[in-house]
Amino acid sequence: MTTTTSNAPEAGALRLVDHLAGELARAGVTHVFGVGGANIEDLYDAVHRGGAVRGIVAKHEFSAVTMADGYARTSGRLGVVAATSGGGAMNLVPGLAEAYASRVPVLALVGQPPTGQEGHGAFQDSSGRAGSFDAREVFAPVSRFCARVEDPDALAELLPRAVAAAQADPRGPAVLLLPKDVQQARIRWPGRSPAPAAPAARPDAAALTAVSDALRGAGRVLVIAGEGVAAADARAELAELARRLGAWVAVTPDAKDVFDNRDPRFAGVAGVMGHANVEDCLRRADVCLLAGTRLPLLARGGLERALATAEVISLGPEPPFVAGTALGGQLRDALRAVTGRLPPHPRACPRHAGPLPTRMPGPVSPALGRTVSYTDAVAAVEAALPQDAHVFVDAGNAGASAVHLLPAPRHGRFVVAVGMGGMGYTFGAGIGAALATGRRTYVLAGDGAFLMHGMEVHTAVEYAAPVTFVIFNNNAHAMCALREEFLQGGVRDDDLFARTDLAAGVAAAFPTLAVSGAEDAAQLREALLRGNADGGPAFVALDCDPREVPPFLPFQSFNEASSKESSHERGVVHVG
């Protein structure tokens, strides 16, 4: 491969960015999300000229990453984000941290100043030279692979390595730093065949035997399934294993869609946003089988004592956070291998209470004005939600209520970003999902999340993305306010705000957007149904009580710990 710096096209030579855009298309990428700038404009020009990949311009680089994240989670393809140097590059970090923690394959293409200016006072220099910081040291901790493309000829090697690193277990972001002159260099791309994929490692024979023997001998099994089931596209394998075992199946908060929530075997959500029935099933089980989850704190909060006495088996590429027998390797292969060693006839599932909603106390203090309870609001969402829709749930009290109360759609994703738990994640992620799949996508978020990244509504309008934004407006950072009430005596009100009419503001800003302000659950349902019938975006806001206590175990345990009549053995659960 040869490089030329001539401005005139050499026969057979194209700009590096033209080849890059073509390689992305050949890898199945259909969209590139980002925000433009001088040091990434050549890539956007190449994407536009190539025509096979669509460039999507976001309002903020964090949301551009979450668009790529939502795209990857719903399509199974590599998500791609592109941003310029300086502040644009730095804005990628929190989104990449979420993708890293949640094992989402994302490729970040980050513009840099021309190589000849590095170390000479270049604007937005992050080369690590002459006192500037090194962008590689910023991105390396939140990526599986990070490299600066200093030689145009090196991209043919570095690009496949980056893509492979993003998609290999443990999956996550890969970052390529692209100086502007390298992007513009004219090169001949080698006609190389893609390297053959490494053969999948077979499950360890001894571990497989130990796991299979334990499950065959278990009278009662509780399966706790995680996001890894969705990432491995192993829902059918999970369902068949549960059928053979006659097992109860619980899910982690970020994996509600990996098992049918209406199946009689469904035990509920595990952890701090979950259902008491899961703990009851765990205490009755002979074996607890983890499938596609390491069981982090959000998924095991309140279950620690029961787990301490349970026999735990784990299937998945990474070891669990709790002690047990682990069968590593690719999850789908492990599920198939274990199922193949079980008797072919299904076993009956033992009786259990099912995912009954937790009864929470009323608001700490009454709200001023008319509000809609989380329970009624989520019921309205459930009544309107198409069964092939995707649901993206943001952080906060409304999010905890949705995880606890809203059944996942049968044929869509139900995504909660619990890796970093950053507020505002859903606005970009929902848009990325909608553009990736063309399906109606619901974003459920509070006003705090909206005020951080809700102006991505503009992006949804620009690209006619079929996203319904549902904003639970309690005019507060309500989870923080409740923590202050429970833990600090409610002596300050920093996180309680003056009322904001979000529906009126959004309607004024976006006159072509379908905007509704719902005063009760019936109006919410009607607005959602209207949004379903339309092909484009919709926005619905409703007022909620900032003092309403959501079904979130730390708040429940605070209440119980302060009650003289309570003897709940789980005590206070601390999260966040």
Side-chain angles (χ1 to χ4, degrees):
M1 184 169 64
T2 58
T3 305
T4 177
T5 57
S6 170
N7 290 328
E10 182 181 337
L14 294 172
R15 294 175 301 173
L16 177 143
V17 288
D18 296 311
H19 289 292
L20 177 54
E23 290 301 305
L24 293 177
R26 278 185 280 279
V29 174
T30 58
H31 294 73
V32 171
F33 306 94
V35 180
N39 286 329
I40 202 65
E41 63 190 3
D42 297 285
L43 176 59
Y44 279 101
D45 178 70
V47 166
H48 174 76
R49 292 175 184 273
V53 178
R54 188 181 188 190
I56 303 296
V57 177
K59 309 290 92 65
H60 191 280
E61 289 84 1
F62 169 79
S63 290
V65 181
T66 67
M67 288 178 194
D69 178 307
Y71 173 99
R73 294 198 203 217
T74 53
S75 71
R77 299 189 293 269
L78 179 71
V80 180
V81 60
T84 193
S85 51
M90 296 303 100
N91 285 340
L92 298 173
V93 172
L96 294 177
E98 172 60 44
Y100 183 95
S102 291
R103 310 306 194 239
V104 181
V106 170
L107 174 64
L109 304 171
V110 186
Q112 297 285 276
T115 54
Q117 297 179 10
E118 294 174 348
H120 297 283
F123 179 59
Q124 299 179 333
D125 189 357
S126 58
S127 64
R129 299 175 180 174
S132 65
F133 72 89
D134 191 338
R136 287 174 294 190
E137 295 181 359
V138 174
F139 289 112
V142 293
S143 64
R144 306 296 177 190
F145 179 89
C146 180
R148 185 188 302 274
V149 185
E150 296 178 339
D151 177 2
D153 291 352
L155 184 67
E157 174 195 353
L158 292 175
L159 179 61
R161 287 177 60 191
V163 172
Q167 296 179 323
D169 288 325
R171 306 187 312 166
V175 179
L176 291 177
L177 303 171
L178 301 167
K180 186 175 179 68
D181 57 320
V182 171
Q183 296 178 50
Q184 294 174 329
R186 294 190 175 274
I187 63 174
R188 288 191 180 91
W189 195 264
R192 299 175 183 171
S193 300
R202 293 185 176 181
D204 178 78
L208 176 59
T209 297
V211 167
S212 302
D213 288 349
L215 291 175
R216 278 199 304 268
R220 293 173 175 173
V221 177
L222 170 66
V223 176
I224 303 179
E227 164 68 13
V229 175
D233 192 19
R235 292 177 179 84
E237 288 78 7
L238 172 67
E240 178 58 21
L241 178 61
R243 190 180 72 90
R244 296 274 190 99
L245 291 171
W248 303 302
V249 180
V251 295
T252 58
D254 58 339
K256 284 200 76 170
D257 59 283
V258 303
F259 191 81
D260 187 353
N261 293 185
R262 299 157 187 85
D263 190 292
R265 299 178 182 86
F266 183 61
V269 177
V272 298
M273 290 171 269
H275 302 93
N277 181 58
V278 175
E279 181 182 5
D280 181 62
C281 290
L282 178 58
R283 292 189 182 282
R284 296 167 59 195
D286 300 307
V287 171
C288 176
L289 174 63
L290 309 180
T293 177
R294 304 179 72 190
L295 212 63
L297 182 58
L298 285 180
R300 71 175 189 272
L303 301 178
E304 288 94 338
R305 293 191 182 185
L307 284 166
T309 60
E311 180 178 0
V312 176
I313 293 172
S314 170
L315 306 183
E318 296 184 83
F321 293 116
V322 296
T325 302
L327 177 60
Q330 295 186 0
L331 178 61
R332 186 157 59 172
D333 292 342
L335 288 167
R336 288 174 174 174
V338 171
T339 302
R341 294 197 173 194
L342 298 176
H345 304 294
R347 287 162 49 179
C349 179
R351 292 177 179 270
H352 64 116
L356 298 176
T358 300
R359 296 183 62 182
M360 300 301 295
V364 175
S365 59
L368 298 176
R370 188 174 183 180
T371 61
V372 183
S373 72
Y374 295 135
T375 299
D376 290 345
V378 172
V381 172
E382 180 182 1
L385 183 67
Q387 287 304 300
D388 63 347
H390 304 301
V391 178
F392 283 76
V393 178
D394 219 296
N397 287 355
S401 300
V403 170
H404 189 79
L405 297 171
L406 180 63
R410 283 191 171 93
H411 308 295
R413 291 301 323 270
F414 190 109
V415 176
V416 187
V418 298
M420 289 290 104
M423 292 171 63
Y425 160 89
T426 57
F427 292 92
I431 293 169
L435 293 176
T437 65
R439 296 189 196 177
R440 174 61 51 181
T441 300
Y442 275 40
V443 166
L444 308 182
D447 55 305
F450 172 79
L451 293 172
M452 289 189 179
H453 291 286
M455 283 300 99
E456 293 302 334
V457 169
H458 180 279
T459 309
V461 172
E462 285 290 300
Y463 297 98
V467 182
T468 298
F469 301 96
V470 185
I471 310 303
F472 298 73
N473 182 13
N474 49 33
N475 296 290
H477 287 164
M479 186 167 280
C480 296
L482 285 178
R483 288 182 62 85
E484 291 154 12
E485 183 77 28
F486 288 127
L487 293 173
Q488 299 174 338
V491 296
R492 57 191 178 93
D493 58 1
D494 311 55
D495 289 301
L496 299 173
F497 313 136
R499 185 177 184 277
T500 303
D501 190 341
L502 298 181
V506 170
F510 305 105
T512 63
L513 177 64
V515 178
S516 301
E519 295 185 355
D520 56 35
Q523 290 184 12
L524 173 58
R525 177 179 176 274
E526 292 167 3
L528 296 176
L529 291 173
R530 289 195 301 270
N532 294 347
D534 193 3
F539 184 96
V540 187
L542 61 150
D543 285 342
C544 298
D545 189 338
R547 301 295 193 182
E548 182 178 354
V549 182
F552 187 54
L553 186 57
F555 293 160
Q556 180 182 349
S557 58
F558 291 150
N559 273 340
E560 291 170 345
S562 63
S563 171
K564 295 181 180 179
E565 298 178 357
S566 173
S567 60
H568 197 288
E569 67 174 8
R570 287 182 288 187
V572 176
V573 177
H574 294 281
V575 177

